[in-house]
Amino acid sequence: MRLFQRPRTLKDELQILFLAVGSAFLVLATVLLYQNGQASLRRQVIASASTAAETAAALISLEDHQSVRTPADMDSRAFRNIVQNLGALRRANPDVVHLYTIAPIGKNGTWRVVVDVGGSVREERHLIRGRLPIGSIPPTSLPDNLIEQGQRGTTADILDLTSPSRARATALAPIAGHDGKAVGLAVVELSAARLIEEVRLLWYVSIAIFLVGLVVSVVASNMASRWVTRPIEELLRAVEEIARGNLRARVVGKSRNELGALGKAFNLMAKSLEASKAKNDEQQNLLRELHRTGSQVAATLELPRMLETASRGIRAICGGEEAFSGAMGPRDKSVRLWTRSGPGTLDMEGWDTPVTLLEEVLGGETRLLARNEFAAAGLSMLLDRPGDYALAAPLRVSDQTLGVLVALGRRTQFHPEGISLATLFARQVSAAVGNARVFEQVRAVDRSKSEFLSIASHEVRTPLTVMKSSLDILVSSPKFEYTADQRQLIAFCQESVERLIRLVKDILDVSKIEAGVLSIQFAPTSLNDLIEKCLFWVPQLPGGQGIEVDARLPSEPAMVLADPQRIMQVLENLISNAIKFSQPGGKVTIEIREHEREYEVMVSDRGKGIAPEDLGRIFGKFYQVADSATREQGGTGLGLAICKGIVEAHYGKLWAESVLGEGSTFHFALARVLDAPIGDRAVGEIKVDKLLSALRTASARASRIG
Ligand code: ADP
């Protein structure tokens, strides 16, 4: 049973406490009830014994009583009178078990029996016909102290309660002499059997009351503890709910005591917690939005796209009916580049805001401008728009205003923290605008550098070509005769001029690739053909004679959409590198692998390999692995950069794998011509997938620029 287990809950503890207190009261009440009942019953018995004794004393004539002194007086009239009166009294009261009188008649005035009219019970052994004779010693059941008290007035006591048959109350009433002093005592012994019965009944009743009380107190303690703990349990449940994250949990109890007040206080706390969580969430969402939009803005370096995102962003973050972002273009003197976010469309052609006005009114700070300030800030075009207020945040880079973000609308449409949010957002946009401008400047510088290089290379190539043809004529014409030394010198010159021409050609190619103007003439091209042509040239490459070149080509031509001249250039470069960096007697393998959407060409050698830290750098301009062997091989360090540029201009991929000391493999992958019938038809006639048309557009654009 739960009660006998160690209490676990407050309810159990309270129940035990209530039960203990209730039981203690119950025990006390039962004991008091029993004792009071018993005392009252005793009082009743004593009172009726006293009454009987007093009645007996009153019925006895003093003279009669004083005249009876010896057994011889039993025949006297006085004795008979007394017996008659007392006998009537005894008969009238069935509870009287013994009725007699005593008086100080013995030697030295000891108290002796005078008249004994007997009773319903007889126990004394010395009784004569059931009565004590005149002058006999009073029964042993009558204590001396009671006799003494009886002389002073009626007295009574319950003298024997051992058994119902023996239980009795004894009462003594004085028979007063003429001087008022007691000259005799009427003694009545009254049966107390009923008292014992009633006391026993009282005991049973008390036990019954105790048991019923116990049951009631168990139930009551249960109810009371539940009544006390229910609001606490409810509070606890609500606290647990809140701890689990349900901030809507509330206490519903309606008690008006301190627990009720606690519940109300808890509800208030939960409400404010919910409100502050909602506010916190909102702020977090705003910050997330700020971060997200900021990243979007920074993700592009194109000013118009950036401004478009910024317009959407300022409206989402700060509110308002519509939003505008304006910035100065690279060569503008005022804010001319405007974008908008809001319902409907708007022609913003000709919108022009002088930066000086913006700086004058805003002073480099975000401000909420009223309608009458629009014109002063150079935003008079906004007067045609429905908004009354403009939240304007300047876009500033290096203390210079380059544009402005404007959220337009009614005052109530703006976020309460609109100004600080707009300032934060404008800072992000400003940084992005600054980057875009720097990028634009770098691109312009790069473009002019490439243009310069291209022109310079052209100018250098022409005299070099003249020099080369002149040297060729000098060597081949029979008109000229040379000594061996002269021939050697001319051969050195030829070699140097050829290297110079190659370098200039490479520089020209690199500058075209960097300027994005490399001309690519796309056509369905067989990789097999290109590789076979390359193999024809291999023995003529420096070092080509001592190297075995193995080409593993598929039986079907591997058709790609490519510029054959350019891909040939890539192949020549990769194969000549593989030969260049192989040991004499080494082996170079060329392989074509077929994939679902592309063909992959692999050129492998078993040469010295490339260290992992160099692998990522060899595709850069003028990069050569820093060891003497590489330098000895000659080269410009531009070959792989050009190869990568060419392959990427084909929307393909070029990469390398290498293990130092074991060799390298260079891969490039180009899109396959998937459903193109092969033949010598023009590109326009070939049915190819979407990629083909994309490539064609790119090719057309490149050739236009080139
Ligand atoms: P280079 O004209 O010097 O060959 P590349 O751009 O073609 O210029 O190559 C750059 C550098 O990459 C080379 O100088 C060389 O160090 C390294 N390299 C290229 N191909 C190989 C190869 N097959 N094996 C080892 N190293 C190579």
Side-chain angles (χ1 to χ4, degrees):
M1 198 178 138
R2 216 167 156 180
L3 263 183
F4 297 116
Q5 291 170 358
R6 236 179 116 209
R8 297 267 159 91
T9 61
L10 178 65
K11 183 170 163 282
D12 291 348
E13 285 172 0
L14 279 175
Q15 191 172 354
I16 289 173
L17 182 73
F18 288 153
L19 197 60
V21 172
S23 304
F25 271 114
L26 206 59
V27 168
L28 198 68
T30 312
V31 168
L32 284 177
L33 176 77
Y34 175 70
Q35 282 186 342
N36 270 348
Q38 198 186 34
S40 134
L41 286 171
R42 281 171 74 104
R43 271 198 306 279
Q44 278 178 30
V45 172
I46 284 171
S48 49
S50 301
T51 309
E54 279 170 1
T55 312
L59 286 173
I60 297 166
S61 130
L62 181 64
E63 286 72 29
D64 284 351
H65 196 258
Q66 281 186 326
S67 61
V68 177
R69 281 298 177 264
T70 62
D73 295 333
M74 278 181 72
D75 293 328
S76 69
R77 188 177 164 80
F79 184 82
R80 277 202 304 278
N81 278 345
I82 295 170
V83 168
Q84 194 179 358
N85 287 341
L86 292 187
L89 177 64
R90 183 180 64 76
R91 281 190 298 278
N93 191 343
D95 286 339
V96 174
V97 289
H98 198 184
L99 176 57
Y100 59 97
T101 65
I102 56 172
I105 54 173
K107 271 183 256 165
N108 307 327
T110 48
W111 288 80
R112 303 278 186 215
V113 174
V114 179
V115 181
D116 181 358
V117 289
S120 56
V121 181
R122 285 281 158 264
E123 279 152 12
E124 301 283 339
R125 261 183 279 125
H126 55 278
L127 295 180
I128 300 167
R129 293 201 308 273
R131 288 171 193 161
L132 294 165
I134 297 169
S136 63
I137 299 165
T140 50
S141 57
L142 185 65
D144 288 346
N145 67 328
L146 216 58
I147 296 173
E148 249 171 63
Q149 283 172 26
Q151 292 171 54
R152 291 195 288 273
T154 307
T155 185
D157 200 0
I158 292 172
L159 296 176
D160 192 352
L161 272 176
T162 47
S163 71
S165 58
R166 289 168 63 85
R168 59 197 55 179
T170 304
L172 293 86
I175 303 164
H178 293 298
D179 56 357
K181 282 190 180 165
V183 291
L185 291 168
V187 183
V188 175
E189 284 181 22
L190 216 60
S191 165
R194 257 202 356 253
L195 172 69
I196 286 194
E197 289 299 318
E198 279 170 8
V199 166
R200 194 173 288 160
L201 189 68
L202 182 67
W203 170 247
Y204 293 143
V205 168
S206 303
I207 291 291
I209 287 173
F210 174 77
L211 290 177
V212 170
L214 197 65
V215 171
V216 169
S217 73
V218 167
V219 173
S221 66
N222 190 16
M223 283 167 65
S225 60
R226 192 173 294 174
W227 179 72
V228 172
T229 55
R230 190 177 296 146
I232 297 175
E233 277 168 7
E234 209 179 317
L235 199 65
L236 198 67
R237 211 176 40 245
V239 169
E240 280 170 357
E241 282 282 302
I242 295 239
R244 252 186 256 121
N246 176 14
L247 296 184
R248 298 203 171 156
R250 295 287 185 276
V251 178
V252 284
K254 293 187 179 68
S255 52
R256 294 185 183 175
N257 53 20
E258 286 86 344
L259 286 174
L262 187 64
K264 270 184 202 147
F266 173 86
N267 284 350
L268 269 177
M269 185 199 74
K271 198 172 160 189
S272 73
L273 206 64
E274 197 185 352
S276 77
K277 166 100 178 11
K279 199 169 168 198
N280 205 12
D281 283 354
E282 194 199 322
Q283 271 173 353
Q284 276 204 354
N285 284 343
L286 263 175
L287 283 178
R288 224 173 280 139
E289 181 67 31
L290 202 67
H291 177 73
R292 196 179 61 83
T293 324
S295 313
Q296 277 178 3
V297 168
T300 177
L301 285 169
E302 282 177 37
L303 210 48
R305 278 244 317 265
M306 190 181 282
L307 292 176
E308 240 174 67
T309 317
S311 296
R312 276 200 308 276
I314 185 94
R315 189 159 158 245
I317 293 164
C318 301
E321 187 68 29
E322 53 185 342
F324 301 89
S325 298
M328 288 162 65
R331 279 170 219 92
D332 290 338
K333 294 268 180 288
S334 55
V335 176
R336 287 212 173 126
L337 218 54
W338 282 98
T339 63
R340 171 181 175 272
S341 159
T345 52
L346 179 68
D347 181 13
M348 288 175 286
E349 189 65 39
W351 280 30
D352 196 341
T353 301
V355 170
T356 43
L357 294 185
L358 273 179
E359 276 185 334
E360 235 167 67
V361 174
L362 300 181
E365 305 280 328
T366 303
R367 278 196 56 206
L368 187 66
L369 303 177
R371 226 177 148 68
N372 55 12
E373 291 173 289
F374 288 3
L379 300 170
S380 44
M381 61 276 194
L382 297 182
L383 289 169
D384 296 339
R385 309 304 305 159
D388 293 332
Y389 281 90
L391 189 64
L395 297 176
R396 286 171 70 80
V397 178
S398 318
D399 284 339
Q400 219 192 325
T401 301
L402 297 178
V404 65
L405 301 180
V406 183
L408 194 67
R410 275 174 283 118
R411 200 179 184 135
T412 49
Q413 283 179 309
F414 297 119
H415 192 281
E417 305 282 331
I419 290 189
S420 46
L421 287 171
T423 308
L424 267 179
F425 185 58
R427 244 178 244 159
Q428 298 187 31
V429 179
S430 300
V433 166
N435 288 345
R437 289 172 71 86
V438 170
F439 177 71
E440 188 48 49
Q441 281 160 6
V442 169
R443 207 153 60 170
V445 168
D446 207 46
R447 221 178 282 132
S448 48
K449 185 197 81 183
S450 296
E451 273 166 22
F452 167 77
L453 268 179
S454 168
I455 293 163
S457 311
H458 250 296
E459 296 304 314
V460 174
R461 212 154 63 145
T462 318
L464 278 176
T465 318
V466 174
M467 279 165 80
K468 186 180 179 308
S469 347
S470 309
L471 284 169
D472 286 348
I473 293 167
L474 273 180
V475 172
S476 54
S477 169
K479 271 200 279 176
F480 305 112
E481 294 227 342
Y482 304 103
T483 62
D485 286 348
Q486 284 169 333
R487 273 193 189 284
Q488 176 89 56
L489 281 173
I490 293 172
F492 281 153
C493 281
Q494 268 182 314
E495 203 179 303
S496 299
V497 165
E498 252 164 40
R499 276 179 70 172
L500 262 178
I501 289 174
R502 208 166 52 240
L503 179 65
V504 169
K505 187 174 146 286
D506 281 357
I507 289 176
L508 200 62
D509 279 348
V510 167
S511 57
K512 277 184 185 167
I513 287 167
E514 286 185 345
V517 295
L518 187 73
S519 157
I520 306 281
Q521 302 297 327
F522 284 101
T525 306
S526 159
L527 285 173
N528 304 40
D529 289 353
L530 295 185
I531 291 170
E532 272 159 15
K533 272 185 207 159
C534 274
L535 292 181
F536 180 73
W537 290 105
V538 165
Q540 298 166 38
L541 289 169
Q545 295 88 350
I547 307 286
E548 183 195 337
V549 180
D550 181 15
R552 295 174 198 165
L553 306 178
S555 49
E556 287 290 308
M559 296 303 295
V560 290
L561 198 66
D563 184 329
Q565 297 304 322
R566 291 295 183 188
I567 297 303
M568 188 79 170
Q569 194 179 342
V570 172
L571 280 166
E572 274 175 9
N573 209 306
L574 296 182
I575 295 169
S576 69
N577 272 355
I579 289 172
K580 200 159 63 173
F581 295 104
S582 287
Q583 310 297 335
K587 186 176 175 184
V588 170
T589 314
I590 305 161
E591 206 180 322
I592 295 180
R593 262 192 207 166
E594 183 179 349
H595 296 286
E596 195 188 348
R597 306 203 137 255
E598 58 199 13
Y599 280 113
E600 179 186 342
V601 179
M602 299 189 296
V603 179
S604 316
D605 63 66
R606 293 183 196 159
K608 65 191 181 81
I610 304 164
E613 64 270 21
D614 288 320
L615 212 52
R617 301 196 199 130
I618 52 174
F619 296 101
K621 280 186 288 181
F622 300 110
Y623 189 82
Q624 291 184 310
V625 175
D627 63 29
S628 52
T630 304
R631 302 276 175 212
E632 277 166 22
Q633 307 292 343
T636 59
L638 290 172
L640 287 178
I642 294 170
C643 289
K644 195 167 164 62
I646 291 175
V647 171
E648 284 175 358
H650 280 79
Y651 303 93
K653 219 165 58 177
L654 171 69
W655 71 103
E657 287 165 353
S658 182
V659 178
L660 205 58
E662 288 185 20
S664 321
T665 302
F666 284 79
H667 310 245
F668 69 89
L670 295 173
R672 296 175 54 168
V673 177
L674 287 174
D675 52 355
I678 313 303
D680 53 357
R681 282 185 263 177
V683 178
E685 293 169 17
I686 298 172
K687 255 176 72 191
V688 288
D689 66 359
K690 276 185 197 159
L691 183 76
L692 177 59
S693 61
L695 293 180
R696 227 186 273 141
T697 323
S699 157
R701 200 188 56 220
S703 54
R704 237 191 353 264
I705 300 166

